[in-house]
Amino acid sequence: MSKITTELLLERAVPRSTRLRKIETLNLSKLQLKTGDLDPRLFSRLRHLQKLDLSDNLLDKFPNSLTLPDLRVLNCNNNQLEDVTALKQFPLLEELTYENNVYLTPNDDYKVMFLLQNLRLLNGKDITKLANHVRHVNSRKLTSKVTAHWEKFFRDQLPEKYTAEHVKSIKKKFLKSVQTNVVYGPSSLSEFTRWRVKMIAEEFLASSLGLEENTDPKPEEEMDENEEESTESPREVAEDIGQVTLTPSKRKRNHSTPRSGNKRSKSQANTEEEAALSPRKSSHLQDDPAPDKPRASNQQAKEATPDQGAEGTHRNGEQFPKGQSNRRSSQLTAEQKSQEQDNGVVSLTPVKNFKGKEDVSAEPLHFLQCHSKGNSREDFKTQLWSCVFEPLLDSASRKDPIVSSSRTVATCGGESVCLIDCETGMVLKKYKVATEEFFSVAWTTLTMVISDSRRKTHNILAAAGRRGIVKLIHVAADFCYGEIKAHKKPIATICFSPTHETRLFTASYDKRIALWDIGIPDCDYNFKASQLLVLEALSIPLRLALVPTCPDQYLLAGCEEGCFTWNIKLDKEQKSRPFEAIFQFPDDEGDMTTSHRVDGLAFLNDDVVVSKSSKPGCIYLWSWSRSFDGKGKACQRTVSAVILAELEWSTTDMSYLTLSTCPDSQVARASSKRGAAD
């Protein structure tokens, strides 16, 4: 790892310099720099530095005392930044870019717009008008709300002759209450609003009671994510950026609090566009395909949008427009098939397997491009991350594995979740959140009380992604009835328990797997969600699989740096648990190692696990029971996976492979961005 020295700074100056104080432009990109490498004592000598490039490094934050008084342009693209508040130390900053920092959200955009009064360009966009709104209009409205909250609820609580203890107590209560109850703007910016409200409240107390600001030693970020908030909060102004918004009605707002619910509304939807920054993609989450590689969906496939006459239902600030069919004939000419093969479409022909049986012949039936941004055929960057078939509601048919799922499939990618009829190729419904990037979807079936105490089963779709929020969608009603703020960082994958329909696992980039009880909504869509368990991982979990023989006891997870298992029995008192075991697999030399990325994971039957790592170029079949024995063993032990077979796979290092299985047919299916194979 490169360390920053005086010689390095002089060498990387543009143009090269002989003295640090003469450097005006400095390029420190692609040096694998971490936060600890930015030595404030050394940087304090760069008194006249105006342009600094720190892109393509490993920075997770900025030191608070770099002392660059003349810095005007800063490039932090492709790092691992988690917070932007330290940038306030560069008050003259005019141009700032930090694209492809996976942990930064639109809330951070608004924070830097407020903190940096001279900022004109953010990620290449002119934000002058929006920044003025944030600094003045937004601050004025929030200040008014904070003052009104104090006058209404707290002014009379302070005695005429108060002591320091009185002040300390009232301040703690006021800060907690005001951050909970003062809301303004779209829910997607609630983190920024809480941040500003706390700041304004501290300034108000300092001027009113003569208190010093920031006297609370506990920062907001350290507050319990799942702390129960007051249900008496005022109605939030619904002006979600780039989304369909609702006019006032008698519904309850769900916000982002797991315990709150909301009532359905039949009010007319209106679209309101606001100048805002678009979400950024991260190289940590996806690899963009080569720009010169065409997509198969460039064929004549059309999807209806609301302004094209498609029917749609709008509720809760989200939308489910119906799309037209993208169906095309399966009888293609030889020239068309040749063209599709050139475009990367795989057409399988009958071949003989090792038993001499003829394999199934498959041919493309529909070509869809329903996840492209703005329904643009020119969008080749939006990735499709998850695809799950909807379960059938008829419990009798579930006994037959061949008909255990419907012909409707839920897919997610970019800002949208789609429901597609696989037989007709029609996009039935489309759910969009302009500030989101969805990575995973999962189905469950809940028995809900509809009216007059009557009960009916409905399929519920959960969707999650970059914002760390789980959206709960009642598909039959075209209604997103709530959300769970599960993690502060992106959610990589989710799955429901096969034995408890309300239990949902969420695996996040915060290196944790959480188990939630999402509850059952009542006839007004009020629901209560609660966190049951937190599993600590050593690296980012990518795939989850519950052990079929004991789904209430063990969870298996493929992670960035290994394959782990946890004991998930809820009769244990420990709610936050380390892993039980990490599994070893052969490396390129045949030695057993735990250091590998497991990006594909599924059970082929009750015992056989199918796993894939992007490095060895093969898929392993191994025995769960012969590899792991949970009786009388200590936690955090290393065990060797008992390999039953190796399946040949591509030598590509393509990550994030999806493995699915058909246990009754003993078939495993692997798919990635470049194709699929059985």
Side-chain angles (χ1 to χ4, degrees), residues 82-191:
E82 300 181 9
D83 184 61
V84 296
T85 54
L87 294 175
K88 65 182 179 182
Q89 65 185 299
F90 311 129
L92 299 183
L93 205 60
E94 298 176 357
E95 299 181 22
L96 172 64
T97 54
Y98 49 58
E99 293 182 305
N100 294 332
N101 282 269
V102 62
Y103 304 134
L104 297 185
T105 70
N107 289 278
D108 297 292
D109 297 342
Y110 278 67
K111 287 180 182 180
V112 296
M113 280 187 276
F114 173 78
L115 292 172
L116 302 174
Q117 299 293 309
N118 292 320
L119 193 65
R120 297 182 297 102
L121 294 177
L122 180 59
N123 295 324
K125 296 183 179 180
D126 187 343
I127 49 88
T128 305
K129 185 176 180 180
L130 180 58
N132 286 333
H133 177 88
V134 172
R135 296 165 191 156
H136 303 294
V137 179
N138 183 283
S139 295
R140 185 169 61 250
K141 289 184 178 294
L142 289 179
T143 300
S144 175
K145 287 175 175 286
V146 169
T147 304
H149 193 76
W150 168 266
E151 294 292 331
K152 184 176 182 179
F153 298 107
F154 287 90
R155 182 179 180 181
D156 295 337
Q157 295 185 26
L158 197 63
E160 201 170 307
K161 293 183 179 180
Y162 53 84
T163 64
E165 288 300 319
H166 287 138
V167 171
K168 183 178 180 180
S169 175
I170 202 74
K171 176 182 179 180
K172 182 178 180 181
K173 293 178 181 178
F174 178 59
L175 290 179
K176 181 178 179 180
S177 177
V178 78
Q179 289 180 82
T180 300
N181 294 306
V182 173
V183 293
Y184 174 71
S187 59
S188 59
L189 297 175
S190 58
E191 181 189 339

Side-chain angles (χ1 to χ4, degrees), residues 554 580-581 627-637 639:
Y554 288 109
E580 286 267 324
S627 304
F628 178 79
D629 180 10
K631 298 179 180 179
K633 300 289 182 68
C635 288
Q636 293 188 310
R637 66 186 188 277
V639 296

